[in-house]
Amino acid sequence: MTVRNTIGPPLTELQQAILSFIWSNGPATSEQVRAALRSTHPLKDSSVRTLLRRLEARGYISHRLAGNTFVYRAAIPASSVAARAVRHIIDRFCSGSVEQFLVGMVDEHVISRPQIERLARKVKKHK
């Protein structure tokens, strides 16, 4: 099974919040995650643990045991998750065409032509 197949559907807002916290702060326990999200997402401890288990099953995080406590860490970087989210958008809305996606981004003034040209130069250097 590949990582792409493991990841599955896009993240929910809550799953994204958990991952963002772990990416920003490093390894964390479920209680640390719960405390960090308390102001925007008041959750029970069991709910946080369930969300963490699901993120782990999908390959986003992993855990190690510290005494009797699970400590969760990101298993993949934020940039990889962002790239997969963009790939999902390209597949869903642009029939898999990266070119169509980028033209749309330029047409909608999300990215400028000079930015695309700089990106093209960077890609060319990587070959």
Side-chain angles (χ1 to χ4, degrees):
M1 179 179 293
T2 65
V3 173
R4 182 175 175 157
N5 291 337
T6 306
I7 297 301
L11 295 168
T12 66
E13 180 183 335
L14 185 52
Q15 290 169 331
Q16 179 65 51
I18 291 170
L19 274 175
S20 292
F21 173 75
I22 292 173
W23 282 322
S24 296
N25 298 283
T29 65
S30 63
E31 184 52 41
Q32 289 169 322
V33 170
R34 185 171 157 233
L37 300 179
R38 187 173 290 134
S39 64
T40 54
H41 303 295
L43 300 167
K44 293 184 178 184
D45 185 53
S46 60
S47 298
V48 173
R49 290 175 193 269
T50 297
L51 286 160
L52 289 165
R53 276 194 307 275
R54 288 179 181 167
L55 285 169
E56 186 169 26
R58 291 178 63 188
Y60 287 106
I61 61 175
S62 62
H63 77 273
R64 66 176 169 78
L65 202 54
N68 292 332
T69 305
F70 281 14
V71 179
Y72 295 90
R73 68 168 188 82
I76 55 178
S79 59
S80 293
V81 175
R84 287 186 185 110
V86 170
R87 170 45 64 195
H88 176 77
I89 290 168
I90 291 169
D91 290 344
R92 186 167 181 187
F93 297 104
C94 301
S95 302
S97 171
V98 174
E99 183 178 347
Q100 182 183 350
F101 173 75
L102 290 174
V103 168
M105 297 287 280
V106 172
D107 289 348
E108 294 299 318
H109 307 288
V110 174
I111 187 169
S112 69
R113 181 173 297 285
Q115 288 172 315
I116 290 284
E117 290 167 356
R118 280 194 302 275
L119 178 61
R121 286 191 298 273
K122 285 182 181 181
V123 168
K124 195 173 187 177
K125 284 181 184 178
H126 278 338
K127 287 186 175 184

